[in-house]
């Protein structure tokens, strides 16, 4: 007998996340997080919800703060039905799924950011034992402003390029008093999630927002790290003429060897129909790039919400018009216009209807996060500050992923001769 009732959004996704299912089975038996509070900051998407549920299966109490432009009302509602998980949202009860109001209205940004900061401080004030972070939005204020709370944290995992960049800068000024696993640096995260997942979801978001064709277009990709590399390759495979900008000469050479043109950013954006920032760093699209950008260009970020200098953009804009959900037309005094997507926030998370990277890759990334937190509880990291995910753990997740795909390889994947 069939039913038309829509199942729980997290339950609906669980069957497509076999690695997290394996973690759930493992955690249900071991209960590694019993009696522990885990603080989380992350986009509140369905796959994040499943990750939180798996942590709770391991005995954790979970307190989670959402992120700007990527909080889904159905996920928040589903989480509130799970007694061990408490979502701390910027808006009481009703949280908008990414929409016209939440993705393209710059006027709302300051108040929303203030509300999000309050939510994160509430998570920190609860004195979590462990932290799972996205963008270091919990870890930076925790270490900088709440040293007494930080002193009692057992450890953390950070999964993004931008977050790791922020933590490295933080560590230059003051020590991080507990171990933080660099999940973003794990080969499984870099080669699978960053290169392929981010590229596919970001290009899908950009084309859905603009109804523009990639084939035959010109595109400038700012940065050739793993995310930028994946974006540039996917764009080129779809028929775009691609130009890469880089500050690292080795990555620039790699981009040339991969078949892309390489130019300084101000030159690359002057001829590009699409400009995509993919560095994870702040203000890489600033005054020089904005004043050089081609008339009619589409501007998007996939690295972080700070890649585009919003203050300079507001200064240069003669007029700003929201033309459709997630798309804003910026007019400059010289007559040029550009289309800014999702207010400069991470486009694959903030576009209307978008849930970020495909569940296939987020399943592996969140499995790394969950197993990393388990390793911290088990006492595996012995130092403080940023540490790589253990090689054996990374390979174990890769082997499990292959098994779910019915793929076998020579050996068992543990040979010391294998390149990391």
């Amino acid at each position: 007998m069939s039913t038309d009732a829509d199942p729980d959004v997290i339950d609906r996704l669980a069957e497509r996340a076999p690695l997290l299912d394996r973690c759930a089975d493992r955690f249900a038996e071991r209960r590694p997080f019993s009696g522990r509070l885990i603080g989380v900051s992350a986009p509140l998407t369905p796959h994040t919800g499943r990750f939180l549920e798996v942590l709770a299966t391991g005995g954790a109490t979970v307190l989670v703060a959402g992120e700007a432009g990527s909080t889904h009302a159905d996920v928040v509602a589903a989480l509130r039905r799970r007694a061990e998980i408490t979502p701390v949202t910027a808006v009481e009860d009703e949280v908008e799924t990414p929409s016209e109001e939440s993705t393209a209205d710059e006027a709302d940004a300051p108040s929303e950011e203030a509300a999000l900061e309050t939510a994160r401080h509430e998570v920190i004030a609860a004195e979590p034992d462990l932290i799972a972070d996205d963008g270091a939005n919990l870890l930076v204020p925790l270490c900088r402003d709440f040293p007494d709370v930080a002193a009692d944290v057992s450890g953390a995992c950070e999964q993004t390029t931008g977050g790791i960049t922020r933590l490295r800068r933080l560590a230059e000024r003051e020590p991080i008093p507990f171990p933080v696993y660099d999940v973003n640096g794990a080969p499984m995260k870099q080669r699978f999630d960053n290169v392929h997942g981010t590229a596919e979801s970001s290009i899908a978001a950009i084309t859905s927002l603009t109804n523009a064709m990639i084939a035959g277009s010109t595109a400038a990709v700012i940065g050739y790290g793993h995310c930028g590399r994946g974006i540039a390759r996917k764009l080129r495979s779809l028929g775009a003429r691609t130009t890469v900008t880089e500050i690292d000469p080795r990555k620039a050479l790699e981009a040339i060897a991969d078949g892309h043109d390489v130019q300084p950013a101000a030159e690359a954006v002057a001829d590009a129909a699409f400009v995509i920032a993919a560095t994870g760093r702040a203000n890489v699209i600033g005054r020089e790039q904005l004043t050089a950008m081609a008339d009619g260009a589409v501007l998007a970020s996939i690295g972080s919400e700070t890649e585009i200098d919003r203050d300079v953009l507001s200064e240069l804009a003669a007029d700003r018009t929201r033309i459709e959900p997630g798309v804003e037309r910026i007019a400059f005094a010289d007559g040029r216009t550009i289309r800014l997507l999702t207010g400069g926030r991470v486009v694959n998370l903030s576009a209307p209807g978008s849930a970020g990277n495909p569940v296939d890759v987020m399943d592996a990334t969140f499995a790394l996060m969950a197993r990393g937190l388990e390793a911290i509880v088990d006492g595996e990291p012995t130092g403080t500050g940023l540490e790589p995910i253990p090689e054996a753990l990374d390979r174990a997740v890769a082997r499990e992923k292959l098994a779910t795909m019915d793929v076998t390889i020579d050996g068992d994947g543990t040979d010391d001769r294998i390149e990391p």
Side-chain angles (χ1 to χ4, degrees):
M1 182 176 177
S2 63
T3 177
D4 293 331
D6 188 31
D8 183 292
V9 64
I10 298 175
D11 291 342
R12 189 168 66 238
L13 177 132
E15 64 187 25
R16 299 176 54 205
L19 298 188
L20 282 175
D21 274 354
R22 293 186 179 204
C23 284
D25 292 341
R26 175 189 179 94
F27 291 171
E29 181 178 348
R30 288 200 67 214
R31 303 284 288 179
F33 308 123
S34 289
R36 294 179 181 268
L37 173 64
I38 302 181
V40 182
S41 175
L44 290 181
T45 61
H47 11 66
T48 301
R50 179 56 180 156
F51 167 63
L52 301 177
E53 187 175 59
V54 168
L55 297 181
T57 300
T61 300
V62 182
L63 191 60
V64 56
E67 292 188 0
S70 55
T71 294
H72 293 233
D74 52 355
V75 174
V76 172
L79 291 175
R80 286 178 173 158
R81 291 193 289 270
R82 288 153 170 83
E84 303 86 356
I85 304 171
T86 303
V88 182
T89 59
V91 181
E92 282 295 323
D93 298 321
E94 295 298 327
V95 181
E96 296 293 334
T97 300
S99 65
E100 179 177 2
E101 289 78 12
S102 63
T103 60
D105 193 342
E106 282 292 312
D108 291 341
S111 59
E112 183 179 14
E113 292 299 332
L116 287 166
E117 184 178 0
T118 299
R120 291 165 187 153
H121 284 181
E122 184 175 335
V123 173
I124 293 169
E127 300 185 359
D129 302 291
L130 298 161
I131 290 173
D133 213 347
D134 181 298
N137 289 320
L138 284 178
L139 289 170
V140 168
L142 169 67
C143 294
R144 184 187 59 206
D145 302 327
F146 301 90
D148 292 343
V149 177
D152 292 328
V153 172
S154 298
C157 291
E158 167 58 51
Q159 66 160 319
T160 66
T161 304
I164 294 300
T165 299
R166 293 181 70 194
L167 290 174
R168 285 175 178 155
R169 289 177 177 168
L170 175 69
E172 291 173 358
R173 300 190 301 271
E174 54 192 287
I176 299 172
F178 48 82
V180 179
Y181 273 145
D182 176 4
V183 176
N184 186 69
M188 270 294 289
K189 174 70 161 65
Q190 292 179 335
R191 300 171 188 174
F192 191 48
D193 183 331
N194 291 1
V195 171
H196 295 288
T198 300
E200 289 193 15
S201 61
S202 297
I203 291 173
I206 290 167
T207 55
S208 70
L209 287 169
T210 61
N211 193 29
M213 190 165 75
I214 299 296
S217 69
T218 53
V221 178
I222 314 299
Y224 207 65
H226 287 89
C227 292
R229 184 179 305 136
I231 282 279
R233 289 174 179 173
K234 298 281 186 187
L235 287 169
R236 195 159 178 262
S237 72
L238 291 171
R241 291 166 287 163
T242 48
T243 300
V244 166
T245 80
E246 250 301 336
I247 60 173
D248 186 329
R250 299 161 297 182
K251 292 179 181 178
L253 284 169
E254 183 181 12
I256 291 172
D258 285 342
H260 310 293
D261 290 334
V262 172
Q263 293 179 347
E267 296 177 19
V269 302
D271 298 315
F274 297 92
V275 178
I276 304 170
T279 69
R281 297 179 179 274
N283 301 334
V284 295
I285 300 293
R287 185 179 304 274
E288 184 181 14
Q289 293 76 33
L290 290 168
T291 55
M293 204 164 290
D295 184 31
V298 170
L299 175 59
S301 170
I302 67 161
S304 76
E305 62 183 34
T306 64
E307 300 231 9
I308 299 165
D309 190 325
R310 295 185 184 183
D311 292 337
V312 170
L313 181 61
S314 295
E315 177 191 334
L316 295 176
D319 184 65
R320 306 179 70 148
T321 307
R322 187 169 56 213
I323 56 177
E324 54 187 296
V327 184
E328 190 179 9
R329 181 187 291 115
I330 310 292
F332 297 107
D334 60 7
R336 292 176 302 119
T337 64
I338 63 171
R339 282 178 288 171
L340 175 66
L341 303 187
T342 64
R345 293 176 178 142
V346 178
V347 71
N348 63 336
L349 287 166
S350 300
S354 178
N357 287 352
V359 63
D360 308 82
V361 296
M362 293 311 300
D363 183 34
T365 294
F366 279 135
L368 277 174
M369 293 278 282
R371 296 282 294 272
L373 292 172
E374 180 187 30
I376 291 169
V377 169
D378 289 343
E380 183 151 345
T382 57
T384 59
L386 282 169
E387 294 196 16
I389 279 279
E391 180 72 16
L393 194 160
D394 195 51
R395 290 182 184 173
V397 172
R399 287 196 301 273
E400 290 178 6
K401 181 64 178 177
L402 288 173
T404 67
M405 302 167 71
D406 294 324
V407 174
T408 58
I409 61 173
D410 293 321
D412 63 1
T414 61
D415 195 313
D416 288 338
R417 294 170 296 176
I418 297 174
E419 290 287 337

